[in-house]
Amino acid sequence: MEIGSKLEKETANFAQLTERVSKYHDLSKCMSGILTTFEQRLGKLEETILPVYQKTEHLQKRQHNLESTLQSLDVVLSHYDVSQDVCNLIHRGPIEGSIFDFLNALDKLKVAMDYFLKTNSQSVELENVTSLFNNGCESLNNHYKALLKKHSAPLRPVELLDLIYIEDDSSNEDCISIKQLSPSTREELLIISNWLEHHLRRQYLQIYCEERSDVVFRSLQNLKDHQKSGSWGNEPLKPRTFARTEQKKTTSARLQHIFEKKANKLYLKATQTIENSTGLSLKKNSSHSDHLTVDEFSNNDQEMDKYIVLLLALQKLLVAERSLLGDVIPENKHTEAFSKLAFNSIDLVVKDAEVITARILRSIQRKEWTSALGIFSALKRVILLQPDIDRTCDSHQKEQLKRVLTKLQTTGSKALENFLDNVKGDSGTNIVGMSSSTLGHSNVPKDGTVHELTSNTIWFIEQLFDHYDVIGGILVTDVLVSSQLDSILIKKQNLSSEEKSKCLLAIYIKKILAELNLTIINKCEQYSDPAIKYLFRLNNINYILISLQRSNILEVLALAEPDCERSYLDIIRDLKSSYLKSWSKLIANVSPIEELPRPSQGKVKDKERAILKERFAGFNKDIEEACKQQRAISVPDVLLREGIKRDNIDHILPKYNLFYDTYCHVQFSKNPEKYVKYTPAEIGSMLGNIFDDSVM
């Protein structure tokens, strides 16, 4: 029964399934028919619409072509009309503050010009637009020039001196030279410069260089004219809101302050560099700031101070101009523009250096040695200014300004050479009779004191020491001096650059002193009396040694001549010994006592009386003449003077005392007072009064 029941159930399910399959088949057949009909109708619709679509597309293309043609015609017509449209604007020229309208008009003319050049180069319209474009460019150049002239003017000397003397880290906006051109003016000039550069119209560059070159040149010329006025050197600094009003300073004091700061900056930079690279600390070099004192420059040639101010002014102006270039001229033209605008001003400064150094050379030939020291001071300052110049100028300008440094170095070298020749050549050989009231044409002092050449030479050497750094740079170019330095460096290795400079100066001073010693020897031959010859040399040699010791130059000389001090002491000792020997004729009258007659009971033989008379008379005459002559001799140094007197007394008095004690009571003359004129005490007093013409 269960199986029959399941079979019936499955049979019913099968019948139902068969019915549904049949129904689905009918539905599928119906749908297939509908789709077939839709496909047929869609095909008929496509056959109807496609031609319409194609025709519409064609019409759209024709419409687009027509519009493009109309636009092209408008452009072409605008090219023909542009000359008429912008003619009035071009002829009127650009207006300050509204430059874009004018530049747009020029751009339209340029486009039209390019079109006619391409399509119809023989067109009359090409001539019209070209003429208008050229006129417009010319007007633009004129406007550019007018803008520069209107907003540029030479700096007044006081303004320029403010730039020099007021040393602060103000921005470029605070620069007086740049303030003349407002930001709007600089922007307009830059727009014009870029437009002209883009269109290869580069006359603007020449205009800019001429105008700004004239500003810089006239600013310097105004400063030069001001330097010739009576107010030069006493200008008050412009008071600042953030600082109290500065008191008036001399030009030398102001320059000293400026270059002290520059020297300190160089020192700090060098210190940081060495400490960062090696970890070593650098001892402060006194060759710059320590020597830049007010006293050093207060008596120098004012012309050199004026020139240094002019050089500083040039550097300040060029810094301002380089900054201004960045706001006005396209970057790719900066180098060319700066080179052109700075040429005349640099040339002015270089020529002034040549004039000044030529005048100083003439002064040096006249033996005005303070001018030479002015050269060394100026050279030191130019060297300190060199880093600022290097940062400001291009390679050609550096080379141009290097002529200033070279000219100063050449002049300094000539000064050193001429001074050495002066010491070497100033030697006379005329014999001078000290009994005469005047030395006539002799060039030695009558009183045998320190010669003017000696004092001048020592003074010059002392001044040179303050400039050993720059003088070392000059002397190192001398082959002989350089070879001597090499010999010293073999013995003393690892010398610093400062010590090398001092060593070079020491070699030069050694030459001067050697020539001075020879000259003194030659000059002493002009004296007829041997004693005065030795006293003259003693005075001069002693003065040299004391001066060298006082000024610490001996420490420098020790680098080239370690035995210098000992050599001078040996010379002084030998001269003192030679001077004592000059008394030998006088002493021969009273010594040796063994060679004189021996009295017996206060009497001597008749023949021996004449000998004693002759000896007493000879001694008296010699001592009187010697004391008379040597009272007129000057020995300025107290220690030397008293030492010589003491040596004379110790050398002469014991011998005379023995002679006097032996024969003063001997009856060798009817008038003994005629011969026995001086007691030993009186002789000692006479010897103590030499070198003093106030004692009669």
Side-chain angles (χ1 to χ4, degrees):
M1 289 177 67
E2 288 179 4
I3 293 172
S5 177
K6 288 182 180 180
L7 179 62
E8 289 178 1
K9 187 177 180 180
E10 290 297 330
T11 302
N13 288 340
F14 179 76
Q16 186 179 5
L17 180 62
T18 303
E19 181 183 359
R20 288 180 178 178
V21 169
S22 176
K23 186 178 180 180
Y24 289 153
H25 180 268
D26 292 340
L27 289 173
S28 296
K29 187 176 180 181
C30 181
M31 181 58 71
S32 175
I34 292 170
L35 290 175
T36 302
T37 302
F38 180 78
E39 182 180 5
Q40 290 173 354
R41 291 181 178 181
L42 189 61
K44 290 179 180 180
L45 181 62
E46 184 180 359
E47 291 176 358
T48 304
I49 294 300
L50 187 60
V52 176
Y53 174 79
Q54 291 175 344
K55 188 174 182 179
T56 301
E57 183 182 11
H58 179 68
L59 289 173
Q60 287 177 340
K61 287 183 179 180
R62 292 180 66 182
Q63 182 183 6
H64 177 72
N65 291 338
L66 183 60
E67 290 175 353
S68 298
T69 303
L70 289 174
Q71 290 177 356
S72 298
L73 285 174
D74 288 339
V75 171
V76 172
L77 289 174
S78 68
H79 293 332
Y80 281 91
D81 293 338
V82 69
S83 57
Q84 185 176 357
D85 293 341
V86 302
C87 181
N88 292 333
L89 179 58
I90 295 299
H91 287 307
R92 186 171 63 246
I95 300 174
E96 185 176 356
S98 58
I99 193 65
F100 288 106
D101 293 339
F102 191 82
L103 293 180
N104 288 334
L106 286 177
D107 287 335
K108 291 178 181 179
L109 288 172
K110 182 64 169 65
V111 172
M113 189 170 65
D114 292 341
Y115 169 78
F116 289 122
L117 280 172
K118 183 178 180 181
T119 60
N120 187 3
S121 59
Q122 305 300 321
S123 172
V124 175
E125 290 299 325
L126 175 60
E127 296 180 7
N128 293 337
V129 295
T130 302
S131 176
L132 272 177
F133 182 78
N134 291 335
N135 291 338
C137 289
E138 187 65 27
S139 297
L140 194 60
N141 283 329
N142 293 336
H143 176 68
Y144 190 87
K145 186 173 183 178
L147 272 180
L148 284 172
K149 278 187 175 293
K150 179 180 178 181
H151 297 282
S152 299
L155 266 67
R156 293 183 295 115
V158 173
E159 293 174 336
L160 190 49
L161 290 172
D162 277 342
L163 281 178
I164 297 170
Y165 293 146
I166 300 176
E167 289 281 307
D168 58 359
D169 296 327
S170 58
S171 66
N172 290 330
E173 291 298 325
D174 292 331
C175 178
I176 296 172
S177 180
I178 297 179
K179 275 185 176 180
Q180 294 177 353
L181 296 172
S182 64
S184 60
T185 303
R186 280 180 273 157
E187 183 180 2
E188 184 168 338
L189 287 170
L190 180 60
I191 291 170
I192 296 173
S193 298
N194 285 328
W195 190 93
L196 290 170
E197 179 65 27
H198 177 71
H199 291 85
L200 304 180
R201 297 279 178 155
R202 298 197 172 100
Q203 189 180 354
Y204 78 94
L205 195 62
Q206 185 65 26
I207 293 171
Y208 180 86
C209 292
E210 288 176 357
E211 292 300 322
R212 295 309 302 177
S213 174
D214 185 62
V215 168
V216 176
F217 185 86
R218 288 167 60 194
S219 297
L220 293 176
Q221 193 63 53
N222 289 344
L223 178 61
K224 287 183 63 178
D225 294 339
H226 176 68
Q227 288 175 340
K228 298 175 184 177
S229 68
S231 61
W232 161 251
N234 297 303
E235 306 85 353
L237 291 178
K238 182 184 294 183
R240 296 285 176 115
T241 57
F242 53 82
R244 61 181 177 84
T245 303
E246 296 191 31
Q247 297 179 349
K248 288 186 177 181
K249 295 181 180 179
T250 64
T251 300
S252 294
R254 290 172 175 175
L255 289 177
Q256 175 233 349
H257 178 68
I258 290 172
F259 284 100
E260 275 184 346
K261 292 187 71 173
K262 291 185 183 295
N264 288 334
K265 286 180 181 178
L266 287 177
Y267 162 71
L268 289 174
K269 184 176 180 181
T271 303
Q272 292 170 357
T273 301
I274 292 179
E275 288 180 351
N276 291 338
S277 60
T278 65
L280 300 174
S281 61
L282 182 67
K283 181 181 178 182
K284 185 172 182 180
N285 187 339
S286 61
S287 64
H288 293 299
S289 59
D290 288 355
H291 293 153
L292 291 170
T293 61
V294 177
D295 292 338
E296 177 183 349
F297 300 118
S298 58
N299 296 320
N300 279 346
D301 185 3
Q302 194 182 41
E303 289 299 315
M304 290 308 304
D305 280 345
K306 291 178 180 179
Y307 181 74
I308 294 297
V309 169
L310 191 69
L311 191 60
L312 280 166
L314 172 68
Q315 190 268 330
K316 292 291 185 181
L317 287 171
L318 293 184
V319 168
E321 291 302 322
R322 184 173 282 282
S323 176
L324 184 59
L325 274 175
D327 294 336
V328 177
I329 300 297
E331 185 176 357
N332 62 328
K333 293 296 179 182
H334 284 184
T335 302
E336 180 183 352
F338 188 70
S339 179
K340 288 181 179 179
L341 72 86
F343 180 83
N344 289 338
S345 299
I346 293 177
D347 191 54
L348 170 69
V349 171
V350 172
K351 287 181 178 178
D352 274 12
E354 293 173 352
V355 171
I356 291 173
T357 51
R359 183 166 59 250
I360 289 176
L361 280 174
R362 291 193 294 270
S363 299
I364 291 171
Q365 290 171 357
R366 295 193 299 267
K367 302 179 183 180
E368 298 172 1
W369 303 112
T370 52
S371 297
L373 298 175
I375 277 289
F376 299 133
S377 298
L379 185 56
K380 182 182 295 184
R381 289 169 166 179
V382 172
I383 291 172
L384 285 174
L385 189 58
Q386 204 64 35
D388 294 335
I389 292 175
D390 291 343
R391 284 193 299 270
T392 305
C393 300
D394 58 31
S395 57
H396 176 72
Q397 292 163 344
K398 290 177 189 176
E399 193 66 28
Q400 195 179 0
L401 279 170
K402 190 178 179 181
R403 289 165 55 191
V404 174
L405 190 62
T406 302
K407 202 69 182 176
L408 291 174
Q409 287 175 330
T410 303
T411 307
S413 176
K414 195 68 177 176
L416 295 174
E417 179 184 342
N418 282 13
F419 189 84
L420 183 60
D421 291 342
N422 177 68
V423 174
K424 184 187 304 184
D426 190 4
S427 58
T429 55
N430 297 327
I431 302 300
V432 179
M434 293 303 297
S435 60
S436 62
S437 60
T438 177
L439 291 180
H441 298 290
S442 171
N443 61 351
V444 291
K446 181 180 178 180
D447 59 358
T449 188
V450 177
H451 197 280
E452 182 181 9
L453 175 66
T454 302
S455 59
N456 287 344
T457 301
I458 294 300
W459 172 84
F460 189 73
I461 289 174
E462 289 173 345
Q463 305 306 312
L464 290 183
F465 180 71
D466 289 339
H467 308 286
Y468 67 84
D469 45 357
V470 294
I471 292 176
I474 294 173
L475 292 174
V476 75
T477 58
D478 187 304
V479 177
L480 294 177
V481 175
S482 183
S483 62
Q484 292 181 54
L485 176 64
D486 292 339
S487 301
I488 294 172
L489 291 178
I490 294 174
K491 301 175 183 178
K492 299 180 179 181
Q493 298 179 354
N494 300 323
L495 288 181
S496 66
S497 58
E498 180 181 352
E499 290 172 327
K500 288 179 182 178
S501 296
K502 289 181 178 179
C503 196
L504 288 165
L505 178 61
I507 293 170
Y508 176 75
I509 293 176
K510 178 183 174 182
K511 281 186 177 181
I512 288 182
L513 293 177
E515 294 298 338
L516 180 60
N517 290 338
L518 290 175
T519 301
I520 290 171
I521 292 173
N522 290 332
K523 284 183 177 298
C524 78
E525 295 302 321
Q526 297 183 50
Y527 296 100
S528 57
D529 188 273
I532 300 178
K533 291 181 181 180
Y534 298 128
L535 289 172
F536 173 72
R537 287 187 62 193
L538 266 172
N539 274 332
N540 283 272
I541 298 300
N542 184 69
Y543 177 82
I544 293 171
L545 178 60
I546 291 175
S547 299
L548 295 178
Q549 291 171 332
R550 181 184 64 245
S551 60
N552 296 323
I553 294 179
L554 274 176
E555 297 178 9
V556 177
L557 267 173
L559 295 171
E561 186 60 48
D563 298 330
C564 178
E565 185 174 17
R566 189 182 66 185
S567 297
Y568 274 111
L569 290 173
D570 290 344
I571 293 173
I572 290 173
R573 184 181 63 252
D574 292 343
L575 286 173
K576 284 182 177 180
S577 176
S578 298
Y579 168 71
L580 288 177
K581 290 178 181 177
S582 68
W583 296 96
S584 57
K585 180 183 175 184
L586 179 143
I587 293 175
N589 291 305
V590 297
S591 181
I593 196 71
E594 295 80 10
E595 297 179 2
L596 296 175
R598 293 184 175 276
S600 175
Q601 297 180 355
K603 297 180 180 180
V604 291
K605 298 177 181 178
D606 293 341
K607 185 169 60 174
E608 294 173 339
R609 292 177 183 176
I611 295 174
L612 291 179
K613 289 179 182 179
E614 181 182 350
R615 294 300 178 94
F616 268 108
F619 181 85
N620 294 337
K621 178 183 178 182
D622 290 344
I623 194 69
E624 288 170 355
E625 289 182 355
C627 289
K628 180 182 179 181
Q629 284 189 346
Q630 295 190 33
R631 270 200 303 270
I633 299 303
S634 173
V635 181
D637 183 69
V638 176
L639 293 178
L640 178 63
R641 181 172 66 244
E642 296 305 317
I644 292 175
K645 288 180 182 181
R646 185 173 56 254
D647 290 345
N648 286 340
I649 292 173
D650 292 344
H651 182 60
I652 297 171
L653 200 58
K655 296 178 177 62
Y656 180 72
N657 193 40
L658 179 60
F659 178 78
Y660 181 85
D661 290 343
T662 303
Y663 297 108
C664 67
H665 299 296
V666 174
Q667 299 177 1
F668 62 88
S669 172
K670 295 180 180 180
N671 301 305
E673 67 278 0
K674 178 180 178 181
Y675 298 98
V676 186
K677 293 176 64 176
Y678 303 109
T679 64
E682 290 173 331
I683 294 298
S685 178
M686 292 172 67
L687 292 173
N689 289 330
I690 61 174
F691 314 138
D692 185 359
D693 58 3
S694 64
V695 180
M696 300 302 294

